[in-house]
Amino acid sequence: MDANATTPLLPEVMEAMRPYWMEQFGNASSIHQQGQTARTAVDRARETLAEFFNCREAEVVFNSGGTEGDNTAIFGLLRPGDHFITTSVEHSAVLRAAERVAERGVEVTFVAPRRNGLVSDGLIDPEEIRRAMRPQTRLISVMLANNETGVLQPVEEIGRIAAAAGIFFHIDAVQGAGKVPFDVRRFGCHLLSMSAHKIHGPKGVGAMYVRRGTPLEPLLVGGSHERRQRAGTENVAGIVGLGKAVELAMTSLEDGTVERIAALRNRLEAGILAVPGTGVNGAGAPRTANTTNIRFEQVEGEALVIALDLKGVAVSGGSACHSGSTEPSHVLMAMGLDKSAARASLRFSLLRTATDADVDHGLRVVPAAVEHLRALSPVVAGTAG
Ligand code: PLP
């Protein structure tokens, strides 16, 4: 139940990739037959990505994944003196890049999620983005779906605001890709980043949509790969795997899979909420079908992660990149949770292959583990912060 950290390859993806490590190992830049076979495979994946994004094939750039896409958007567009708007609930791939450009003379505004009551539902108010705009604003970057809560941001509205002001707009779509209908023209973005390993594809490969004419400086220079937008010998097998994973994700958006996963998530969520002293972070906001983030009063989140792991249920507190750190989630803190409530919150995120039996197992294990931990240390509440 930690699909937002990563997902396993689907067998079809593995099968599609296999020949490109073995018999068809050519370099896609070589002019001989092996090279051309590899080139054809990369081109085919590019067609799939263009269909997925709803863009031209020339607007697809293959890269190493979400972190690279986020970094490329920020380092590739912003120069000293520019102003950059992003949000305080972004992934660290955006936040750390924003901090770095800030050290180099870029002004950065982090817009917080709206407060509708004491605690936020995690949604960014597009009007707050508009209010943050300045004459020097060059780039806005907002995620499509939050990795910790699944909350879906109003990117279309933000895209319209950016377009009206002539500001570049980047979407970190790593957690939204394959989970909600997708269209870069409808989103109104100039740049969009996604990653294969969140949609049952391989790790270390992803793609970026770069709207024609966007003056994006490449992060990596060298050979003339990817129309000089991303140097480096193409990860042919990875790109083929990404193409196959995207193809399967597109099918899953139309064949009832999303509804099936939503029903499983809703059953899991309702079952856990039957435990006293629990609540959903981001409840009320539109969310991806597979994710729920739940706070458990009087429980230390890390202890619960370990207790569930021992029972065969993998979940995470905060995002995987922060595991091992005792810092509470920056996303939940930005939503107004106090430190102990943030530390007592866990993310459950279902694979596309999740079954009723998985949810049954989760519901056997979670309430019992919570009860056990509360019995062990009934005074944890309020002391963790
Ligand atoms: N952005 C978001 C919202 C993510 O969830 C992740 C991965 O956790 C990333 C970016 C980074 O993607 P990658 O693991 O492909 O570098």
Side-chain angles (χ1 to χ4, degrees):
M1 298 190 174
D2 202 16
N4 290 7
T6 198
T7 59
L9 291 193
L10 290 171
E12 298 95 317
V13 175
M14 179 64 198
E15 278 313 303
M17 292 172 73
R18 200 199 53 79
Y20 296 96
W21 280 308
M22 307 289 287
E23 307 87 1
Q24 314 293 354
F25 63 90
N27 182 322
S29 299
S30 301
I31 57 171
H32 50 58
Q33 277 183 38
Q34 287 98 325
Q36 290 314 297
T37 304
R39 169 59 50 204
T40 303
V42 170
D43 287 346
R44 215 175 307 123
R46 199 181 305 281
E47 278 171 32
T48 306
L49 266 292
E51 186 192 338
F52 182 53
F53 288 157
N54 187 26
C55 71
R56 299 179 180 86
E57 285 160 33
E59 293 173 316
V60 176
V61 179
F62 291 117
N63 63 17
S64 68
T67 300
E68 184 180 332
D70 290 347
N71 275 248
T72 303
I74 293 167
F75 295 124
L77 271 181
L78 294 165
R79 297 294 164 262
D82 289 339
H83 176 234
F84 171 42
I85 301 171
T86 187
T87 85
S88 51
V89 295
E90 298 300 306
H91 188 268
S92 49
V94 167
L95 294 178
R96 297 292 91 77
E99 287 165 11
R100 186 173 279 192
V101 290
E103 288 163 11
R104 297 175 180 173
V106 172
E107 294 277 332
V108 185
T109 303
F110 296 94
V111 172
R114 68 179 186 181
R115 284 290 174 96
N116 45 347
L118 270 183
V119 169
S120 167
D121 58 11
L123 275 173
I124 299 296
D125 178 357
E127 285 310 312
E128 282 297 316
I129 301 276
R130 193 200 301 277
R131 271 193 283 278
M133 286 176 357
R134 304 178 193 168
Q136 302 80 12
T137 308
R138 182 161 167 85
L139 177 65
I140 296 169
S141 184
V142 177
M143 68 205 321
L144 177 55
N146 187 271
N147 44 305
E148 295 187 28
T149 58
V151 168
L152 288 160
Q153 299 299 351
V155 290
E156 279 179 54
E157 221 172 315
I158 295 168
R160 279 194 291 275
I161 291 171
I167 297 170
F168 294 112
F169 180 34
H170 168 250
I171 298 175
D172 173 343
V174 170
Q175 294 288 350
K179 296 177 190 164
V180 293
F182 221 64
D183 182 339
V184 293
R185 298 195 202 282
R186 186 163 49 76
F187 291 164
C189 59
H190 300 80
L191 301 164
L192 177 144
S193 305
M194 58 97 52
S195 186
H197 76 99
K198 309 288 186 182
I199 56 164
H200 297 273
K203 293 172 180 61
V205 61
M208 203 176 181
Y209 159 69
V210 181
R211 192 193 288 184
R212 187 162 66 173
T214 307
L216 188 69
E217 205 172 279
L219 210 56
L220 301 178
V221 293
S224 55
H225 313 86
E226 298 295 299
R227 295 174 189 258
R228 296 191 185 280
Q229 295 198 81
R230 203 273 187 180
T233 300
E234 289 91 343
N235 172 3
V236 177
I239 290 168
V240 167
L242 167 65
K244 191 68 189 177
V246 163
E247 197 184 302
L248 297 170
M250 286 195 287
T251 306
S252 78
L253 284 170
E254 292 179 351
D255 69 359
T257 301
V258 175
E259 292 74 13
R260 188 182 72 80
I261 296 299
L264 289 176
R265 188 273 314 267
N266 293 345
R267 188 160 77 80
L268 176 71
E269 189 172 274
I272 296 175
L273 290 180
V275 177
T278 51
V280 174
N281 298 316
R287 289 180 294 155
T288 47
N290 78 320
T291 307
T292 182
N293 190 303
I294 299 183
R295 28 172 219 286
F296 297 87
E297 286 168 23
Q298 299 182 354
V299 170
E300 180 59 58
E302 254 171 42
L304 186 52
V305 170
I306 293 163
L308 295 180
D309 187 33
L310 292 172
K311 299 283 181 188
V313 177
V315 299
S316 77
S319 63
C321 333
H322 294 108
S323 60
S325 109
T326 52
E327 281 305 297
S329 147
H330 71 277
V331 172
L332 300 180
M333 297 289 283
M335 287 166 63
L337 272 72
D338 63 28
K339 279 188 180 177
S340 60
R343 282 207 181 94
S345 296
L346 295 190
R347 171 183 78 187
F348 298 76
S349 52
L350 300 180
L351 297 168
R352 203 188 303 151
T353 51
T355 62
D356 269 309
D358 293 333
V359 171
D360 291 343
H361 182 62
L363 290 178
R364 267 194 303 275
V365 164
V366 176
V370 172
E371 201 174 306
H372 180 67
L373 286 175
R374 283 178 178 165
L376 281 180
S377 57
V379 291
V380 166
T383 62

